[in-house]
């Protein structure tokens, strides 16, 4: 099986200029691989550097050091730590990201938020909206909210929109930061089912979890973050 993502000695440091240039370490010496169609879980306490890793892969953060080698469809192997911004924008059509918080334009209806990824891939607008409505329905977003603005939604409703937006494009690599947070049991089970379907079709995933039940049902391999460093974890320890 091919390796789609290889992270080597990843480091991210933050310089706090308002505090006299104090340096905070987000993560350091983080290395791992993700095979095609596999799900890697990241565990650890809050503040240990988990989200920093995902943001470096997605290039929300520019890494301070190390390599993030992604096997893309359009460019072949690319080091995301060094790729120019225009290349990163193209690669984001292959990489999905579910953050902890939904960040969108304030006056865009939920159905258009979800459909946008398909539009960028060239899908007809009405066809994209049709598929978006199917995802919103499956994730339990009430029909009367489909044309409303997600900024007015509850945390759980926003998370469902967030998930629908990432899943609809069926990305090659999906990054998930607490994907089942703020969800009721039924919606959580639906999300797990959707992720399993996506994984079965070949999507590779890296996910952060505090929800051990969801992790046990999804993750193939894992590591634990402590104080910015990663430590391998055996799959059987999740059982």
């Amino acid at each position: 099986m091919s390796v789609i993502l290889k992270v080597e000695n990843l480091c991210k440091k933050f310089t706090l200029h308002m505090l006299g240039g104090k340096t905070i370490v987000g993560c350091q010496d983080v290395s791992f691989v993700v095979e095609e169609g596999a799900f890697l879980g990241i565990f650890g306490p809050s503040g240990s550097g988990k989200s920093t890793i995902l943001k470096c892969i997605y290039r929300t953060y520019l890494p301070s050091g190390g390599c993030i080698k992604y096997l893309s469809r359009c460019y072949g192997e690319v080091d995301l730590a060094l790729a120019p911004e225009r290349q990163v924008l193209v690669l984001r059509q292959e990489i999905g990201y579910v953050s902890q918080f939904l960040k969108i334009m304030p006056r865009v209806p939920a159905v258009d938020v979800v459909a946008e990824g398909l539009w960028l891939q060239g899908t007809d607008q009405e066809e994209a909206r049709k598929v978006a409505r199917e995802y919103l329905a499956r994730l339990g977003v009430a029909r009367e909210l489909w044309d409303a603005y997600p900024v007015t939604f509850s945390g759980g409703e926003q998370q469902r929109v967030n998930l629908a937006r990432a899943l609809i494009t069926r990305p090659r690599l999906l990054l998930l930061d607490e994907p089942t947070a703020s969800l009721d049991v039924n919606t959580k089970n639906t999300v797990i089912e959707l992720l399993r379907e996506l994984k079965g079709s070949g999507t590779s995933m890296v996910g952060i979890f505090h929800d051990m039940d969801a992790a046990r049902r999804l993750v193939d391999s894992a590591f634990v973050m402590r104080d910015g460093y990663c430590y391998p974890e055996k799959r059987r320890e999740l059982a």
Side-chain angles (χ1 to χ4, degrees):
M1 191 175 293
S2 300
V3 171
I4 191 170
L5 182 69
K6 185 175 183 180
V7 175
E8 298 177 309
N9 305 120
L10 177 65
C11 173
K12 176 59 183 175
K13 297 179 179 179
F14 301 92
T15 301
L16 306 181
H17 297 287
M18 296 294 290
L19 296 178
K22 181 180 179 180
T23 297
I24 300 294
V25 176
C27 65
Q28 54 191 333
D29 298 327
V30 173
S31 299
F32 59 86
V33 297
V34 181
E35 295 182 336
E36 290 191 80
F39 199 132
L40 174 72
I42 306 177
F43 303 90
S46 298
S48 59
K50 304 184 300 299
S51 296
T52 297
I53 294 170
L54 295 194
K55 289 176 180 178
C56 286
I57 296 171
Y58 199 63
R59 270 286 287 272
T60 304
Y61 291 160
L62 185 64
S64 303
C67 300
I68 306 172
K69 296 178 181 178
Y70 169 64
L71 185 60
S72 73
R73 182 179 287 121
C74 50
Y75 296 116
E77 186 176 86
V78 174
D79 186 351
L80 296 173
L82 301 175
E85 194 61 33
R86 65 180 183 278
Q87 199 173 61
V88 171
L89 292 174
V90 173
L91 290 172
R92 281 183 178 176
Q93 295 187 33
E94 296 187 22
I95 303 173
Y97 179 36
V98 178
S99 62
Q100 291 186 49
F101 307 102
L102 181 64
K103 297 178 181 178
I104 55 171
M105 296 292 289
R107 294 184 181 179
V108 178
V111 67
D112 287 350
V113 169
V114 176
E116 182 183 15
L118 291 182
W119 294 341
L120 293 174
Q121 292 180 351
T123 304
D124 174 78
Q125 286 195 1
E126 284 311 309
E127 177 62 25
R129 285 193 178 102
K130 177 184 175 183
V131 179
R133 293 184 189 103
E134 291 171 358
Y135 271 86
L136 289 169
R138 190 166 179 186
L139 286 165
V141 178
R143 183 181 293 269
E144 58 267 25
L145 295 179
W146 295 356
D147 292 317
Y149 304 144
V151 292
T152 66
F153 293 3
S154 70
E157 290 164 344
Q158 288 191 359
Q159 181 69 344
R160 296 175 202 186
V161 173
N162 210 4
L163 284 157
R165 180 173 63 162
L167 296 174
I168 195 172
T169 59
R170 307 186 71 81
R172 297 185 70 237
L173 175 65
L174 181 57
L175 310 173
L176 299 150
D177 196 343
E178 294 287 349
T180 56
S182 305
L183 300 180
D184 59 77
V185 174
N186 289 336
T187 306
K188 183 179 90 167
N189 288 334
T190 298
V191 168
I192 291 171
E193 181 182 334
L194 284 166
L195 291 174
R196 281 176 165 173
E197 288 176 9
L198 201 57
K199 183 171 176 284
S201 69
T203 294
S204 309
M205 304 185 194
V206 181
I208 294 171
F209 290 95
H210 284 117
D211 182 345
M212 294 305 296
D213 173 64
R216 292 186 189 100
R217 296 160 66 182
L218 290 167
V219 168
D220 299 308
S221 60
F223 66 85
V224 174
M225 290 294 294
R226 299 188 189 98
D227 301 321
Y229 290 92
C230 68
Y231 299 86
E233 196 85 343
K234 294 181 180 179
R235 176 65 181 87
R236 62 180 175 81
E237 294 179 12
L238 300 176

